[in-house]
Amino acid sequence: MTGKTKRPSWDEYFMEIVFLIARRSTCLRRHVGAVIVKDNQILATGYNGVPTGIPHCEDQGGCLREILHVPSGQRHELCRGLHAEQNAIIQAAVHGSSIRGGTLYCTTMPCIVCTKMIINAGIKKVVYAEGYQDDLAREMMEQADIFIRQYTIQDDAS
């Protein structure tokens, strides 16, 4: 072997995984993936979509929020689905994995509903790729001393 293999950083590794996870999403509006890790070990994953055993929105005539012209970030209770972050937290609970002190990697900055769950779950770091306009979510994460940062591929270029 003549050259040294460029291994991805941990952030790059987990961010690539969340984009793969997002491909499982059944949401008609946005595909989001999340992974919760601790000590560089994956504890749980999640993508946005309806609860297990419930018909997908595309099988129910479409996205209710689209039909009602609900803007992004509003009226979350009208959505049939769960967010990727919520599904990852639930998966950890179902399997008895403590995520306290862990890191959540996500394709999108968490909304305020997910942020409250992240805070109470004890997650200490959030790394996301795409921004999401939710000033209250960012403010509450900062108040809870959660390290948050937007990841870009340039972070690993060197």
Short mmCIF file of all heavy atoms in Angstrom, two decimals, residues 78-126:
data_model
loop_
_atom_site.label_atom_id
_atom_site.label_comp_id
_atom_site.label_asym_id
_atom_site.label_seq_id
_atom_site.Cartn_x
_atom_site.Cartn_y
_atom_site.Cartn_z
N LEU A 78 -50.99 17.89 13.79
CA LEU A 78 -51.79 17.45 12.65
C LEU A 78 -51.09 16.40 11.80
O LEU A 78 -51.68 15.84 10.89
CB LEU A 78 -52.17 18.64 11.77
CG LEU A 78 -53.11 19.66 12.41
CD1 LEU A 78 -53.35 20.82 11.45
CD2 LEU A 78 -54.43 19.01 12.80
N CYS A 79 -49.84 16.14 12.09
CA CYS A 79 -49.06 15.18 11.31
C CYS A 79 -49.31 13.77 11.84
O CYS A 79 -49.32 13.54 13.05
CB CYS A 79 -47.57 15.52 11.41
SG CYS A 79 -46.52 14.42 10.47
N ARG A 80 -49.48 12.81 10.94
CA ARG A 80 -49.67 11.40 11.32
C ARG A 80 -48.37 10.76 11.78
O ARG A 80 -48.37 9.72 12.42
CB ARG A 80 -50.22 10.60 10.14
CG ARG A 80 -51.62 10.99 9.72
CD ARG A 80 -52.04 10.26 8.44
NE ARG A 80 -51.96 8.82 8.53
CZ ARG A 80 -52.87 8.03 9.08
NH1 ARG A 80 -53.95 8.55 9.61
NH2 ARG A 80 -52.71 6.72 9.10
N GLY A 81 -47.25 11.37 11.41
CA GLY A 81 -45.95 10.76 11.66
C GLY A 81 -45.24 11.28 12.91
O GLY A 81 -45.65 12.24 13.54
N LEU A 82 -44.19 10.56 13.22
CA LEU A 82 -43.26 10.95 14.28
C LEU A 82 -42.00 11.46 13.61
O LEU A 82 -41.66 11.04 12.50
CB LEU A 82 -42.90 9.74 15.15
CG LEU A 82 -44.02 9.19 16.00
CD1 LEU A 82 -43.80 7.73 16.30
CD2 LEU A 82 -44.11 9.99 17.27
N HIS A 83 -41.28 12.33 14.30
CA HIS A 83 -40.02 12.82 13.78
C HIS A 83 -38.92 11.79 14.00
O HIS A 83 -39.02 10.92 14.88
CB HIS A 83 -39.65 14.14 14.45
CG HIS A 83 -40.53 15.27 14.04
ND1 HIS A 83 -40.28 16.57 14.43
CD2 HIS A 83 -41.64 15.32 13.26
CE1 HIS A 83 -41.21 17.36 13.91
NE2 HIS A 83 -42.04 16.62 13.21
N ALA A 84 -37.87 11.89 13.21
CA ALA A 84 -36.75 10.94 13.29
C ALA A 84 -36.15 10.92 14.70
O ALA A 84 -35.85 9.85 15.24
CB ALA A 84 -35.68 11.32 12.27
N GLU A 85 -35.99 12.10 15.29
CA GLU A 85 -35.41 12.18 16.63
C GLU A 85 -36.31 11.48 17.65
O GLU A 85 -35.82 10.77 18.55
CB GLU A 85 -35.23 13.66 17.06
CG GLU A 85 -34.42 14.48 16.09
CD GLU A 85 -35.26 15.23 15.05
OE1 GLU A 85 -36.25 14.66 14.53
OE2 GLU A 85 -34.92 16.37 14.74
N GLN A 86 -37.61 11.66 17.53
CA GLN A 86 -38.55 11.01 18.43
C GLN A 86 -38.46 9.49 18.28
O GLN A 86 -38.43 8.77 19.28
CB GLN A 86 -39.98 11.47 18.11
CG GLN A 86 -40.21 12.93 18.42
CD GLN A 86 -41.52 13.45 17.84
OE1 GLN A 86 -42.09 12.87 16.91
NE2 GLN A 86 -42.00 14.56 18.39
N ASN A 87 -38.41 9.02 17.04
CA ASN A 87 -38.32 7.58 16.82
C ASN A 87 -37.02 7.00 17.35
O ASN A 87 -37.01 5.88 17.88
CB ASN A 87 -38.50 7.25 15.33
CG ASN A 87 -39.95 7.10 14.95
OD1 ASN A 87 -40.75 6.59 15.73
ND2 ASN A 87 -40.30 7.54 13.76
N ALA A 88 -35.92 7.73 17.26
CA ALA A 88 -34.65 7.25 17.81
C ALA A 88 -34.72 7.17 19.34
O ALA A 88 -34.28 6.17 19.94
CB ALA A 88 -33.49 8.15 17.37
N ILE A 89 -35.29 8.18 19.97
CA ILE A 89 -35.43 8.18 21.44
C ILE A 89 -36.35 7.03 21.88
O ILE A 89 -36.06 6.31 22.84
CB ILE A 89 -35.94 9.55 21.94
CG1 ILE A 89 -34.85 10.61 21.75
CG2 ILE A 89 -36.39 9.47 23.40
CD1 ILE A 89 -35.32 12.04 21.94
N ILE A 90 -37.43 6.82 21.16
CA ILE A 90 -38.36 5.73 21.47
C ILE A 90 -37.67 4.38 21.28
O ILE A 90 -37.82 3.47 22.11
CB ILE A 90 -39.63 5.84 20.62
CG1 ILE A 90 -40.45 7.06 21.04
CG2 ILE A 90 -40.46 4.56 20.70
CD1 ILE A 90 -41.54 7.46 20.05
N GLN A 91 -36.91 4.22 20.20
CA GLN A 91 -36.21 2.96 19.96
C GLN A 91 -35.25 2.66 21.11
O GLN A 91 -35.17 1.52 21.57
CB GLN A 91 -35.44 3.01 18.64
CG GLN A 91 -34.80 1.67 18.29
CD GLN A 91 -33.95 1.75 17.04
OE1 GLN A 91 -32.83 2.24 17.09
NE2 GLN A 91 -34.50 1.26 15.93
N ALA A 92 -34.54 3.67 21.58
CA ALA A 92 -33.63 3.46 22.72
C ALA A 92 -34.42 3.00 23.95
O ALA A 92 -33.99 2.07 24.65
CB ALA A 92 -32.85 4.74 23.02
N ALA A 93 -35.56 3.62 24.20
CA ALA A 93 -36.37 3.24 25.36
C ALA A 93 -36.89 1.81 25.23
O ALA A 93 -36.84 1.03 26.19
CB ALA A 93 -37.54 4.21 25.52
N VAL A 94 -37.38 1.45 24.04
CA VAL A 94 -37.92 0.11 23.81
C VAL A 94 -36.85 -0.96 24.06
O VAL A 94 -37.13 -2.02 24.61
CB VAL A 94 -38.49 -0.01 22.37
CG1 VAL A 94 -38.74 -1.46 21.98
CG2 VAL A 94 -39.78 0.80 22.25
N HIS A 95 -35.62 -0.65 23.69
CA HIS A 95 -34.54 -1.63 23.83
C HIS A 95 -33.73 -1.45 25.12
O HIS A 95 -32.75 -2.17 25.33
CB HIS A 95 -33.61 -1.58 22.61
CG HIS A 95 -34.30 -2.02 21.36
ND1 HIS A 95 -34.64 -3.34 21.12
CD2 HIS A 95 -34.77 -1.32 20.31
CE1 HIS A 95 -35.27 -3.43 19.97
NE2 HIS A 95 -35.37 -2.22 19.45
N GLY A 96 -34.14 -0.53 25.98
CA GLY A 96 -33.49 -0.35 27.27
C GLY A 96 -32.10 0.24 27.20
O GLY A 96 -31.27 -0.05 28.06
N SER A 97 -31.84 1.08 26.23
CA SER A 97 -30.52 1.71 26.08
C SER A 97 -30.55 3.11 26.66
O SER A 97 -31.34 3.96 26.22
CB SER A 97 -30.13 1.80 24.60
OG SER A 97 -30.05 0.53 24.03
N SER A 98 -29.68 3.37 27.62
CA SER A 98 -29.58 4.72 28.17
C SER A 98 -28.85 5.62 27.17
O SER A 98 -27.74 5.32 26.74
CB SER A 98 -28.82 4.72 29.49
OG SER A 98 -28.60 6.08 29.90
N ILE A 99 -29.49 6.71 26.80
CA ILE A 99 -28.88 7.67 25.88
C ILE A 99 -28.40 8.93 26.60
O ILE A 99 -27.91 9.85 25.96
CB ILE A 99 -29.86 8.02 24.73
CG1 ILE A 99 -31.18 8.54 25.28
CG2 ILE A 99 -30.08 6.79 23.84
CD1 ILE A 99 -32.18 8.98 24.19
N ARG A 100 -28.50 8.92 27.92
CA ARG A 100 -28.03 10.06 28.72
C ARG A 100 -26.55 10.29 28.44
O ARG A 100 -25.75 9.35 28.49
CB ARG A 100 -28.24 9.78 30.21
CG ARG A 100 -27.78 10.93 31.10
CD ARG A 100 -28.06 10.68 32.57
NE ARG A 100 -29.47 10.42 32.85
CZ ARG A 100 -30.42 11.35 32.91
NH1 ARG A 100 -30.12 12.60 32.68
NH2 ARG A 100 -31.67 11.01 33.17
N GLY A 101 -26.22 11.53 28.10
CA GLY A 101 -24.84 11.87 27.81
C GLY A 101 -24.44 11.60 26.37
O GLY A 101 -23.29 11.83 25.99
N GLY A 102 -25.39 11.13 25.55
CA GLY A 102 -25.09 10.78 24.17
C GLY A 102 -25.12 11.96 23.23
O GLY A 102 -25.37 13.10 23.61
N THR A 103 -24.85 11.64 21.97
CA THR A 103 -24.87 12.62 20.88
C THR A 103 -25.93 12.20 19.89
O THR A 103 -26.03 11.03 19.53
CB THR A 103 -23.51 12.68 20.16
OG1 THR A 103 -22.51 13.10 21.11
CG2 THR A 103 -23.53 13.65 18.99
N LEU A 104 -26.73 13.17 19.45
CA LEU A 104 -27.72 12.93 18.42
C LEU A 104 -27.21 13.56 17.12
O LEU A 104 -26.89 14.74 17.08
CB LEU A 104 -29.07 13.55 18.78
CG LEU A 104 -30.12 13.34 17.69
CD1 LEU A 104 -31.34 12.62 18.26
CD2 LEU A 104 -30.53 14.63 17.05
N TYR A 105 -27.09 12.75 16.09
CA TYR A 105 -26.77 13.22 14.74
C TYR A 105 -28.07 13.20 13.96
O TYR A 105 -28.84 12.23 14.07
CB TYR A 105 -25.76 12.30 14.07
CG TYR A 105 -24.36 12.40 14.65
CD1 TYR A 105 -23.98 11.62 15.72
CD2 TYR A 105 -23.44 13.28 14.10
CE1 TYR A 105 -22.71 11.71 16.26
CE2 TYR A 105 -22.15 13.38 14.64
CZ TYR A 105 -21.80 12.58 15.71
OH TYR A 105 -20.54 12.68 16.24
N CYS A 106 -28.32 14.24 13.19
CA CYS A 106 -29.58 14.34 12.47
C CYS A 106 -29.40 15.08 11.15
O CYS A 106 -28.55 15.97 11.06
CB CYS A 106 -30.60 15.07 13.35
SG CYS A 106 -32.30 14.88 12.83
N THR A 107 -30.19 14.71 10.17
CA THR A 107 -30.11 15.41 8.89
C THR A 107 -30.60 16.85 9.01
O THR A 107 -30.17 17.71 8.26
CB THR A 107 -30.93 14.69 7.80
OG1 THR A 107 -32.27 14.55 8.25
CG2 THR A 107 -30.33 13.32 7.48
N THR A 108 -31.49 17.12 9.96
CA THR A 108 -32.10 18.44 10.11
C THR A 108 -32.04 18.88 11.57
O THR A 108 -32.21 18.07 12.48
CB THR A 108 -33.58 18.40 9.65
OG1 THR A 108 -33.63 17.85 8.33
CG2 THR A 108 -34.21 19.77 9.64
N MET A 109 -31.86 20.18 11.80
CA MET A 109 -31.90 20.74 13.15
C MET A 109 -33.24 20.37 13.79
O MET A 109 -34.30 20.55 13.17
CB MET A 109 -31.76 22.26 13.06
CG MET A 109 -32.04 23.02 14.33
SD MET A 109 -30.78 22.83 15.57
CE MET A 109 -31.53 23.76 16.91
N PRO A 110 -33.23 19.84 15.01
CA PRO A 110 -34.48 19.44 15.65
C PRO A 110 -35.44 20.61 15.90
O PRO A 110 -35.02 21.74 16.14
CB PRO A 110 -34.02 18.84 16.99
CG PRO A 110 -32.62 18.39 16.72
CD PRO A 110 -32.06 19.43 15.78
N CYS A 111 -36.74 20.30 15.84
CA CYS A 111 -37.78 21.28 16.14
C CYS A 111 -37.92 21.41 17.67
O CYS A 111 -37.28 20.68 18.43
CB CYS A 111 -39.11 20.82 15.53
SG CYS A 111 -39.85 19.39 16.37
N ILE A 112 -38.80 22.28 18.11
CA ILE A 112 -38.98 22.50 19.55
C ILE A 112 -39.55 21.26 20.24
O ILE A 112 -39.16 20.94 21.37
CB ILE A 112 -39.86 23.75 19.83
CG1 ILE A 112 -39.92 24.05 21.33
CG2 ILE A 112 -41.25 23.60 19.25
CD1 ILE A 112 -38.57 24.28 21.99
N VAL A 113 -40.45 20.53 19.60
CA VAL A 113 -41.02 19.33 20.23
C VAL A 113 -39.91 18.30 20.47
O VAL A 113 -39.78 17.76 21.58
CB VAL A 113 -42.15 18.73 19.35
CG1 VAL A 113 -42.65 17.41 19.94
CG2 VAL A 113 -43.29 19.72 19.20
N CYS A 114 -39.09 18.06 19.46
CA CYS A 114 -37.98 17.11 19.62
C CYS A 114 -36.94 17.63 20.60
O CYS A 114 -36.37 16.86 21.37
CB CYS A 114 -37.33 16.83 18.26
SG CYS A 114 -38.43 15.91 17.15
N THR A 115 -36.71 18.93 20.58
CA THR A 115 -35.74 19.54 21.50
C THR A 115 -36.10 19.26 22.95
O THR A 115 -35.23 18.90 23.76
CB THR A 115 -35.63 21.05 21.24
OG1 THR A 115 -35.04 21.24 19.95
CG2 THR A 115 -34.79 21.74 22.30
N LYS A 116 -37.36 19.38 23.29
CA LYS A 116 -37.78 19.11 24.67
C LYS A 116 -37.53 17.66 25.05
O LYS A 116 -37.10 17.36 26.18
CB LYS A 116 -39.25 19.51 24.87
CG LYS A 116 -39.45 21.02 24.80
CD LYS A 116 -40.87 21.43 25.08
CE LYS A 116 -41.71 21.41 23.83
NZ LYS A 116 -43.06 21.96 24.03
N MET A 117 -37.75 16.75 24.11
CA MET A 117 -37.46 15.33 24.37
C MET A 117 -35.96 15.10 24.50
O MET A 117 -35.51 14.34 25.37
CB MET A 117 -38.04 14.47 23.25
CG MET A 117 -39.56 14.48 23.20
SD MET A 117 -40.22 13.51 21.83
CE MET A 117 -39.82 11.86 22.39
N ILE A 118 -35.16 15.74 23.66
CA ILE A 118 -33.70 15.63 23.70
C ILE A 118 -33.17 16.09 25.04
O ILE A 118 -32.32 15.44 25.66
CB ILE A 118 -33.08 16.42 22.52
CG1 ILE A 118 -33.37 15.70 21.20
CG2 ILE A 118 -31.60 16.67 22.73
CD1 ILE A 118 -33.13 16.57 19.96
N ILE A 119 -33.69 17.21 25.52
CA ILE A 119 -33.26 17.75 26.82
C ILE A 119 -33.57 16.76 27.93
O ILE A 119 -32.70 16.41 28.73
CB ILE A 119 -33.93 19.12 27.09
CG1 ILE A 119 -33.38 20.18 26.13
CG2 ILE A 119 -33.72 19.54 28.55
CD1 ILE A 119 -34.19 21.48 26.11
N ASN A 120 -34.80 16.27 27.98
CA ASN A 120 -35.19 15.36 29.06
C ASN A 120 -34.55 13.99 28.94
O ASN A 120 -34.42 13.29 29.95
CB ASN A 120 -36.70 15.25 29.15
CG ASN A 120 -37.31 16.37 29.95
OD1 ASN A 120 -36.60 17.25 30.44
ND2 ASN A 120 -38.62 16.37 30.07
N ALA A 121 -34.13 13.60 27.75
CA ALA A 121 -33.44 12.32 27.57
C ALA A 121 -31.98 12.41 28.00
O ALA A 121 -31.31 11.39 28.11
CB ALA A 121 -33.52 11.88 26.11
N GLY A 122 -31.49 13.62 28.25
CA GLY A 122 -30.12 13.79 28.72
C GLY A 122 -29.07 13.81 27.61
O GLY A 122 -27.88 13.66 27.88
N ILE A 123 -29.49 13.98 26.37
CA ILE A 123 -28.54 14.09 25.26
C ILE A 123 -27.75 15.38 25.43
O ILE A 123 -28.31 16.42 25.77
CB ILE A 123 -29.29 14.02 23.91
CG1 ILE A 123 -29.85 12.61 23.73
CG2 ILE A 123 -28.39 14.43 22.75
CD1 ILE A 123 -30.79 12.46 22.56
N LYS A 124 -26.43 15.31 25.23
CA LYS A 124 -25.56 16.45 25.51
C LYS A 124 -24.98 17.13 24.27
O LYS A 124 -24.39 18.20 24.37
CB LYS A 124 -24.41 16.02 26.42
CG LYS A 124 -24.86 15.70 27.82
CD LYS A 124 -25.47 16.94 28.45
CE LYS A 124 -26.04 16.71 29.82
NZ LYS A 124 -26.83 17.84 30.29
N LYS A 125 -25.17 16.53 23.10
CA LYS A 125 -24.61 17.11 21.89
C LYS A 125 -25.55 16.80 20.73
O LYS A 125 -26.04 15.68 20.61
CB LYS A 125 -23.22 16.53 21.63
CG LYS A 125 -22.51 17.08 20.42
CD LYS A 125 -21.11 16.45 20.31
CE LYS A 125 -20.40 16.87 19.06
NZ LYS A 125 -19.09 16.20 18.92
N VAL A 126 -25.77 17.80 19.86
CA VAL A 126 -26.58 17.62 18.67
C VAL A 126 -25.78 18.14 17.48
O VAL A 126 -25.31 19.28 17.49
CB VAL A 126 -27.93 18.37 18.76
CG1 VAL A 126 -28.68 18.33 17.44
CG2 VAL A 126 -28.79 17.79 19.89
#
